[in-house]
Amino acid sequence: MKIGRILATLETGLGSAVKVSPAVESVTLTLSQRTRASGARHFWREHLRRIQFANPALPIEVNYPREPCMPKLEIKFSNTTVQSFSVAGMRSDEIYKQFITKAAAS
């Protein structure tokens, strides 16, 4: 029952019941292969997958360039504004809370 465990993991935990605002067009997480950004990597592996599962129509992109860069999360809205914030040195739950305050549906 590996599929059952995967679904149970996606349906529970942080990010599982989050509906983002309809004004959010896309989400992009950028983190380099050569930087130590464990919080961003954990957010990608755990929380971002749950957010995607809860919002299947939301395009989520993860950029993983080889050259060093600062890890950041960008939220693009339908009115062509982009909110971007650095996730360097942040824990995954802090990234999640900041994402929710900017993108959650009211």
Side-chain angles (χ1 to χ4, degrees):
M1 287 282 125
K2 187 175 182 180
I3 292 177
R5 280 191 314 221
I6 292 170
L7 284 174
T9 302
L10 290 172
E11 292 172 344
T12 59
L14 233 59
S16 61
V18 173
K19 294 292 183 186
V20 298
S21 170
V24 176
E25 278 190 359
S26 66
V27 176
T28 304
L29 176 66
T30 303
L31 64 146
S32 176
Q33 295 177 7
R34 299 184 182 200
T35 57
R36 297 182 337 174
S38 60
R41 291 182 209 289
H42 188 268
F43 176 76
W44 172 28
R45 290 188 186 113
E46 297 295 325
H47 307 307
L48 206 53
R49 292 180 183 180
R50 290 183 181 124
I51 292 167
Q52 179 68 58
F53 186 76
N55 302 279
L58 178 67
I60 296 179
E61 182 180 349
V62 178
N63 294 331
Y64 205 57
R66 288 184 181 263
E67 63 274 353
C69 65
M70 290 298 290
K72 65 180 176 178
L73 186 67
E74 294 180 347
I75 305 167
K76 183 178 178 185
F77 293 92
S78 57
N79 60 359
T80 67
T81 60
V82 176
Q83 287 193 1
S84 177
F85 60 94
S86 173
V87 295
M90 294 175 70
R91 293 182 10 204
S92 61
D93 57 343
E94 294 169 349
I95 299 169
Y96 173 78
K97 288 175 186 174
Q98 198 160 17
F99 172 78
I100 292 307
T101 58
K102 295 179 187 299
S106 50

